[in-house]
Amino acid sequence: MTWKRPSPRCQELIRQCAQIVVGARPEWLEELDRAVLAASPAIAADPELAAAGSRSNRANLYFWATANVRDPGAPVAANTGPEPINIARELVRRGLNAYSLDAYRVGEGVAWRRFMEIAFEMTSDPSELHELLDVCSRSTSAFVDATLAFIAGQIEVEHDELTGGTHAERRETVTLILQGAPIPRSRAEGRLGYALTGAHTAAVIWSDAPAGDLARLDKVAEAFGQAAGARPLTVLASTATRWVWVPGSKTGDQINIDALHDAIDSMADIRVAIGPTANGIDGFRRSHFDAVSTQHMMARLHSPQRIALFTDVELTAIITADTDRAAEFVHHTLGEFEHADAELHDTVRTFVNEQCNASRAATRLFTHRNTLFRRLHRADQLLPRPLEECSVTVAVALDVLRWRGQQ
């Protein structure tokens, strides 16, 4: 493309507009993310991939804007930084291809509408606006084309690397099992080095900081195996995610969760979602899918919890599938009690969990029965309905609050 330098006045307008874009408001960035995710359900459904897409959106916007602050109106080369490389890697590790990048065209349209608003605030002169918008339209289009072409090329590189080793064979075999493909059990066991008979407990282990030392994920996978008393099967699901299974007769709630907490105590970015124990190949699948559902719930609620078991969150996961509806449910169920202190919430939750037995609840709370009754009376004053009429729904609403980190 032949590129004619814009006039000095246009260059100054581009610089001013680009400076505003560099300091983009949070709501602009959120709008950009929403548009891209809405256009790509495959990306939106995966919390790690969605986060990588968000980082890529911001990086591309900042890259183009800073280039135009430095040299307004000059061609902007493709962004070949870590964010585009990471999004390519994550797409490949999920079996997605370059067609998923079409969502970025939607993001380009959102960003361009915002840029036009800025441009019209800078000048009302028709000739200046014509040149400004013409130059920047061609610039953004060429930049996005070049960046997407780079990502597409990187996808090919990542695919070649992924299909060249044992990780690829293990991931392929597990994918066939999870999809219910008719792969012979003996062949699958031989490729995995893992027996598919008996009971299995699955986990998803991932990092919120993919730029960190990801070798720690493998250490946590080993720690999960030790906590379960068995050698784990670990699959590289993506750069910052490991799928793990352990064999044996232990149920998920018998895994040494305290030991697992100790293993990740110094790794603030690492989280673990654990599925229920189930038997056979069907159990291998079901435990994994439930672990993934648990992971998605933790991401959806921005939960501060580090470890979650599906058996503890199954109902909460269902209730919070629609976050807006979940918020309405909590507010409708708890009323003013939603904003009570953590001690009062814990008292009511313990009382309900002990089947509304005051003696057992007081013992668990290490408090006197009279103190327990005073707290329950206070809860009744705040709840829309007496606790004895809605104890189950109140307990569910309190669990939603706990997993949202509001207690």
Side-chain angles (χ1 to χ4, degrees), residues 214-234:
L214 299 180
R216 296 173 304 151
L217 291 169
D218 300 309
K219 294 179 181 177
V220 175
E222 290 297 325
F224 176 68
Q226 292 172 7
R231 181 174 176 271
L233 165 66
T234 302

Side-chain angles (χ1 to χ4, degrees), residues 29-40 57 103 106-107 110 113:
L29 300 174
E30 290 168 4
E31 180 187 26
L32 178 62
D33 287 343
R34 285 196 301 270
V36 172
L37 293 179
S40 180
N57 288 337
V106 176
V110 171
R113 286 195 298 273

